[in-house]
Amino acid sequence: MHELVQTVLNSDEKTALRQVIDALSALEKRYFLRNEISQAFADYCQHSQKPAYFFHSSSIGKLIHYTHEIILEEEYTWFILRPRIGSQEVWRLGGNMSGFEAMTPQALLDARDRLVNRFQPQILEIDFSPFYHGYPRISDPRNIGQGLGFLNRYLCTQVLTDPQYWLELLFDVLHRRSYNGVPLLLGDRIVSVIQLAKQVKQALSFLNERPPNEPYEKFRLDLQELGFEAGWGNTASRVRETLELLDRLIVTPEPAILEAFVSRVPSVFRVVLVSIHGWISQEGALGRPETTGQVIYVLEQARNLENKLQEEIKLAGLDVLGIKPQVIILTRLIPNCEGTLCNLRIEKVDSTENAWILRVPFAEFNPNVTQNWISKYEIWPYLETFALDAEKELLAQFGDRPDLIIGNYSDGNLVAFLLARRLKVTQCNIAHSLEKPKNLFSNLYWQNLEEKYHFSAQYTADIIGMNAADFIITSTYQEIVGTPDTVGQYESYKCFTMPELYHVVDGIDLFSPKFNTVAPGVNEKIFFSYNQIQDRDITVSRRVQDLLFTSEDPQILGQLENQSKRPIFAVGAMTPLDNLAGLAECFGKSQQLQERCNLIILTDKLHPHEAVNSEEAGEIERLHKIINEYNLHGHIRWVGIHLPITDLGEAYRVIADFAGIFVHFARFEAFGRTILEAMSSGLPTFATQFGGSLEIIEDGENGFHLNPTDLEGTAKKILNFVDQCNAYLEHWDKISEWAIQHIRNKYNWQLHSKQLLLLAKIYSFWNFVNQESGEARSRYLESLFHLLYKPRAEKILEQHMQR
């Protein structure tokens, strides 16, 4: 980057750079983001009548393209450059347009503190980089999020480097496998790697003489004589295949062989899914608006994990020992449960044999607070005692330690850290949605927001949780490191300041193999294609159609003048982020859209007095105002009723019956559960280009990307599709079918569960190999928890005690 900048400073383009900086200075701001910087440069080019190549291809054009932030100080201009995905550089330009020099992250954080007049010469610095030294690290940004494959290759390389050491580790891991004290895989008759290699050959010779489909029970004693216990397979052919993989792994280790072998080795039987604040039940309590997606995700994950574990146990031949998987969703018990089942200690997960919702109450402190639902922003004081109490309950319920703990969201990930640390169990984290990148500058102005949002506790918990995790699951690549033009959610934790509290110099290694992209699925029993007529309930369909189009109710606003117009359908919560009011404004500003389409909005609220906070009330009022301002009566229908999930599935299909479309107009979407639901149901889908939908949808192929800040552009894009459908009747059918097939093939829970369990096995083995390195990091995390997190949480508790 230095050469690029010097090229600018040593040429006529220096004048252009000076004028762009002067233009930014005139805006009476000192902190500028990428869009503002790009716009200032575009305005300069237009005003100066520069040719098109100058904006895109000149040296200054390239510099501006790489610039994601600019900070103006009296003497200096700071440039935060992003020359490639996942990497940032800090440069400072002198006031006389000279002296362009690389700066440290520490210097940048000091500059940000000065910007808000909260600079301290001495401040705590959090730096995780020493704990990743010596760890395997991905070099190509394109491979970020593919940690499993990278780690497999790395482990196989290590076997070739020091085969005896690594084979002894493999032997040790296999020899330790047991369930409730019963040995699995290897018995005491095999005491070394040399003997294992020899006995594998004998076992293969023995198995080659058995009928392929002969059940394991018939030759179980013969294998035990050779030193092999249960767990290799349920038939002679299955056992032979698994032992052949082990034989090949001993002789010629290759990544594909290692993955195939590990996937067959039984090592996960008990799984905990931690979801603390979710308001989790199955009857009328699929989360609050802020947690609905997470709750649906966790319930589906539990069902499918149990199915996959049952399948693996049977294939391993362990059902003969009476082994059954156990899956527990760990959440909080809420005494004042508002008519739901959230006050029951335990509840069985529907359509499972041994998956349960286990609810543990918060220690009371002030019952006026702890006996009620607590927002995700307020939950922090109770997590440590919850984790201690939950540990006892889990051990009692399982009868032993779990094999895997999966945290969900910031609070669940912190509890997963506390439990995994005490129980010495593999920990997986799933963020779902990190608050910091959603709330711009919230870390910089955290003190102004602390009373309402308590971001100091949450962001500290995030840093602890993501670094404690043995592996992290994300739904998309961009969740980790964004795109060439946008910073990823995890990337936003790389380097940031909480002024007067601490500096995060290096908060997370984005190139660590702990990151894995594993997309969730969609419940195909609920969200299936509209053309599966035989699976649809005609009574439910008629009821939902009446609700969406004709019936009158105090919770429904608007009657459609012409129901034959193509419906535009939107589902979401009444929050500024979901931006349903923005969609209504887009619709209101386009007379052509109103002539061709109706807008149908489905939310859980209609009136401001129903809102749970001022932000929600403001968004409800905004939508009412837009409807009146653009006189949308007769063209819009707003259903403010929380539908049961089965009715929601039918709602998508009813819209598809009318050849409608689905629009997801959020300002930002971490992933997009409703996008999957709509596409799976057969609705052509238009979704925000900011977030996970960039990877779900292939623009123009199986759906369309929208810019929710460009109302005119959005209207044109929808109109173009509608006009094509009107001109070519098969166009809607084509996009609909492509959407269905795309979701069916890529986003299903069977694939998710298979990959998740494989990750748990590989990373458990990796933990065993790197015990000493991991311990140092864990000690550091414990210090941050006790010295930083707990004091922040205690301040929240002081407020709660006064209620």
Side-chain angles (χ1 to χ4, degrees):
M1 297 306 297
H2 188 268
E3 291 182 5
L4 178 62
V5 175
Q6 287 304 316
T7 300
V8 174
L9 297 181
N10 295 334
S11 69
D12 294 341
E13 293 181 12
K14 179 178 180 178
T15 302
L17 180 59
R18 184 193 300 275
Q19 292 193 25
V20 170
I21 293 174
D22 289 345
L24 292 174
S25 301
L27 297 176
E28 299 183 353
K29 288 175 60 177
R30 290 192 292 159
Y31 206 136
F32 299 92
L33 299 180
R34 190 175 190 278
N35 286 345
E36 298 168 304
I37 299 163
S38 181
Q39 186 60 53
F41 181 54
D43 291 344
Y44 164 80
C45 291
Q46 183 178 8
H47 183 264
S48 304
Q49 297 183 333
K50 297 291 184 181
Y53 84 87
F54 189 83
F55 180 83
H56 297 285
S57 305
S58 64
S59 294
I60 186 176
K62 293 176 183 176
L63 176 63
I64 294 296
H65 175 76
Y66 290 132
T67 302
H68 276 250
E69 298 176 28
I70 284 180
I71 298 174
L72 301 179
E73 286 196 301
E74 289 184 5
E75 299 181 18
Y76 303 105
T77 301
W78 295 77
F79 289 77
I80 294 85
L81 306 179
R82 196 165 175 260
R84 66 172 187 162
I85 283 180
S87 299
Q88 292 189 6
E89 297 178 7
V90 183
W91 294 82
R92 190 178 69 180
L93 179 65
N96 58 355
M97 299 296 290
S98 62
F100 198 78
E101 56 184 329
M103 304 298 291
T104 64
Q106 290 91 332
L108 171 64
L109 297 177
D110 285 342
R112 286 172 172 164
D113 287 353
R114 289 194 296 270
L115 181 73
V116 295
N117 299 317
R118 294 189 182 277
F119 171 72
Q120 284 185 339
Q122 299 294 326
I123 190 169
L124 173 66
E125 291 186 348
I126 298 174
D127 186 357
F128 282 94
S129 60
F131 300 104
Y132 291 99
H133 288 164
Y135 265 53
R137 197 167 186 267
I138 293 169
S139 57
D140 188 339
R142 292 172 297 182
N143 294 329
I144 290 173
Q146 300 176 37
L148 174 66
F150 175 86
L151 203 53
N152 281 345
R153 292 190 295 273
Y154 177 82
L155 288 170
C156 288
T157 302
Q158 296 303 304
V159 175
L160 293 172
T161 304
D162 189 350
Q164 189 60 33
Y165 170 70
W166 284 90
L167 289 175
E168 286 179 0
L169 278 175
L170 178 61
F171 169 76
D172 199 5
V173 169
L174 295 176
H175 206 268
R176 289 169 179 261
R177 288 284 178 253
S178 65
Y179 179 85
N180 287 353
V182 177
L184 305 178
L185 299 176
L186 299 183
D188 292 336
R189 300 185 183 207
I190 299 177
V191 296
S192 68
V193 174
I194 295 174
Q195 188 182 5
L196 174 60
K198 179 182 176 181
Q199 293 301 95
V200 167
K201 299 289 188 187
Q202 288 193 29
L204 288 173
S205 296
F206 165 77
L207 290 165
N208 283 332
E209 298 176 359
R210 316 295 296 190
N213 294 325
E214 184 175 11
Y216 167 70
E217 298 95 309
K218 292 198 173 182
F219 54 86
R220 176 182 177 185
L221 295 179
D222 298 291
L223 280 185
Q224 285 181 323
E225 285 291 322
L226 293 171
F228 296 98
E229 298 294 337
W232 297 99
N234 61 338
T235 64
S237 63
R238 180 81 180 181
V239 175
R240 185 176 67 250
E241 289 168 6
T242 309
L243 288 174
E244 283 174 347
L245 287 169
L246 177 58
D247 186 45
R248 292 174 64 189
L249 194 59
I250 292 172
V251 178
T252 55
E254 296 176 3
I257 297 173
L258 177 62
E259 183 172 321
F261 176 72
V262 170
S263 69
R264 287 173 173 246
V265 172
S267 59
V268 180
F269 305 102
R270 306 178 181 94
V271 180
V272 181
L273 311 177
V274 187
S275 182
I276 307 299
H277 71 284
W279 193 255
I280 299 178
S281 183
Q282 297 170 100
E283 294 183 18
L286 278 174
R288 291 289 179 93
E290 66 183 40
T291 63
T292 300
Q294 180 190 146
V295 171
I296 292 172
Y297 182 108
V298 171
L299 284 167
E300 288 301 320
Q301 189 179 61
R303 291 186 184 100
N304 287 277
L305 272 177
E306 191 209 33
N307 288 338
K308 184 60 181 174
L309 285 169
Q310 287 175 335
E311 177 187 321
E312 289 195 353
I313 286 170
K314 184 176 181 179
L315 286 173
L318 294 178
D319 52 341
V320 301
L321 302 182
I323 294 176
K324 293 183 178 180
Q326 294 173 276
V327 178
I328 287 179
I329 299 172
L330 176 65
T331 189
R332 63 169 296 228
L333 185 147
I334 306 174
N336 297 334
C337 62
E338 301 178 18
T340 71
L341 299 180
C342 293
N343 63 343
L344 294 183
R345 176 185 176 273
I346 196 157
E347 177 186 352
K348 191 174 182 182
V349 176
D350 294 341
S351 305
T352 68
E353 292 183 21
N354 206 11
W356 304 84
I357 302 169
L358 175 65
R359 303 185 183 89
V360 177
F362 281 170
E364 281 203 341
F365 297 103
N366 180 357
N368 292 330
V369 176
T370 56
Q371 291 198 5
N372 299 296
W373 179 78
I374 300 176
S375 156
K376 62 183 179 181
Y377 300 119
E378 302 277 336
I379 204 168
W380 309 105
Y382 311 104
L383 299 184
E384 184 179 20
T385 54
F386 176 85
L388 294 171
D389 293 339
E391 179 186 353
K392 300 172 188 174
E393 295 284 347
L394 287 170
L395 291 174
Q397 197 69 26
F398 279 140
D400 203 341
R401 293 185 307 164
D403 304 301
L404 173 65
I405 297 177
I406 302 173
N408 290 272
Y409 193 67
S410 300
D411 46 19
N413 288 330
L414 187 71
V415 170
F417 156 67
L418 296 171
L419 286 170
R421 178 70 175 146
R422 289 177 59 86
L423 295 171
K424 302 189 184 307
V425 174
T426 302
Q427 176 191 348
C428 166
N429 278 17
I430 305 175
H432 292 283
S433 178
L434 290 162
E435 294 293 328
K436 182 175 169 294
K438 286 165 51 179
N439 296 276
L440 199 59
F441 297 131
S442 56
N443 60 290
L444 202 56
Y445 297 99
W446 69 271
Q447 284 137 312
N448 301 338
L449 303 167
E450 190 69 359
E451 184 176 352
K452 183 175 182 180
Y453 294 110
H454 308 293
F455 285 140
S456 66
Q458 180 157 10
Y459 298 167
T460 305
D462 284 334
I463 285 289
I464 292 171
M466 65 180 64
N467 283 283
D470 298 305
F471 65 100
I472 296 172
I473 284 181
T474 67
S475 298
T476 60
Y477 172 88
Q478 65 81 31
E479 190 176 336
I480 310 169
V481 285
T483 69
D485 299 330
T486 60
V487 172
Q489 293 185 57
Y490 280 93
E491 187 179 357
S492 73
Y493 286 80
K494 179 72 174 175
C495 179
F496 69 95
T497 175
M498 303 284 283
E500 299 182 331
L501 184 60
Y502 57 71
H503 282 174
V504 176
V505 176
D506 195 331
I508 185 68
D509 185 357
L510 301 168
F511 292 81
S512 167
K514 73 165 57 182
F515 285 104
N516 288 273
T517 300
V518 183
V522 62
N523 188 332
E524 295 173 359
K525 294 181 180 178
I526 295 174
F527 303 103
F528 54 86
S529 171
Y530 75 101
N531 55 26
Q532 292 177 220
I533 304 298
Q534 70 281 3
D535 298 321
R536 297 176 65 177
D537 186 324
I538 190 170
T539 303
V540 174
S541 185
R542 286 173 178 168
R543 183 178 73 244
V544 171
Q545 181 174 327
D546 288 344
L547 188 74
L548 295 178
F549 286 91
T550 58
S551 61
E552 296 185 5
D553 189 279
Q555 289 300 116
I556 298 176
L557 175 68
Q559 289 292 337
L560 302 175
E561 292 176 356
N562 183 355
Q563 296 178 17
S564 66
K565 290 193 293 187
R566 194 180 302 270
I568 298 172
F569 188 47
V571 177
M574 292 307 303
T575 66
L577 194 67
D578 276 27
N579 198 29
L580 293 172
L583 175 60
E585 185 175 8
C586 172
F587 183 73
K589 286 187 171 184
S590 174
Q591 196 63 39
Q592 289 177 301
L593 267 185
Q594 294 174 47
E595 290 171 359
R596 292 168 173 78
C597 302
N598 289 318
L599 177 60
I600 301 175
I601 294 175
L602 177 62
T603 71
D604 64 335
K605 296 179 180 69
L606 184 66
H607 307 290
H609 70 265
E610 298 166 350
V612 297
N613 54 48
S614 58
E615 186 180 71
E616 193 175 54
E619 197 66 10
I620 294 172
E621 290 172 353
R622 180 178 169 228
L623 182 48
H624 279 288
K625 181 180 178 182
I626 286 170
I627 291 171
N628 292 326
E629 180 181 348
Y630 293 98
N631 192 25
L632 295 179
H633 303 285
H635 305 287
I636 191 170
R637 189 163 165 86
W638 177 1
V639 180
I641 298 173
H642 180 77
L643 294 188
I645 192 167
T646 52
D647 286 9
L648 177 59
E650 189 59 26
Y652 291 116
R653 289 187 289 274
V654 166
I655 298 296
D657 291 336
F658 285 79
I661 64 173
F662 178 76
V663 177
H664 186 85
F665 208 57
R667 290 191 169 95
F668 174 83
E669 176 56 70
F671 180 63
R673 174 183 54 84
T674 57
I675 297 172
L676 295 188
E677 294 170 354
M679 292 177 72
S680 181
S681 305
L683 278 178
T685 297
F686 294 71
T688 178
Q689 66 186 37
F690 302 121
S693 61
L694 278 178
E695 291 174 49
I696 299 174
I697 290 175
E698 299 168 17
D699 192 34
E701 296 293 325
N702 51 40
F704 305 89
H705 296 148
L706 294 177
N707 182 349
T709 65
D710 182 4
L711 302 187
E712 184 179 350
T714 293
K716 286 181 179 178
K717 198 160 191 177
I718 295 174
L719 279 168
N720 181 57
F721 175 74
V722 169
D723 288 343
Q724 284 184 285
C725 292
N726 291 338
Y728 308 100
L729 298 180
E730 69 276 7
H731 186 64
W732 187 95
D733 295 324
K734 180 181 71 174
I735 298 295
S736 171
E737 185 58 31
W738 285 356
I740 293 167
Q741 293 305 322
H742 179 64
I743 301 303
R744 189 173 291 167
N745 295 334
K746 189 173 180 181
Y747 297 94
N748 67 74
W749 283 109
Q750 292 76 21
L751 285 174
H752 175 96
S753 301
K754 179 181 178 180
Q755 190 73 355
L756 175 56
L757 291 177
L758 179 59
L759 290 169
K761 294 172 182 180
I762 287 286
Y763 286 89
S764 294
F765 178 63
W766 174 245
N767 278 350
F768 186 77
V769 171
N770 285 277
Q771 292 180 50
E772 293 182 6
S773 300
E775 181 61 23
R777 183 190 61 196
S778 295
R779 290 294 185 184
Y780 185 62
L781 290 167
E782 284 181 342
S783 298
L784 295 180
F785 176 79
H786 288 285
L787 300 177
L788 277 181
Y789 173 80
K790 286 186 68 173
R792 306 310 307 173
E794 286 166 2
K795 287 184 177 294
I796 304 171
L797 182 60
E798 290 173 7
Q799 298 175 8
H800 288 188
M801 293 301 290
Q802 297 171 9
R803 293 183 181 177

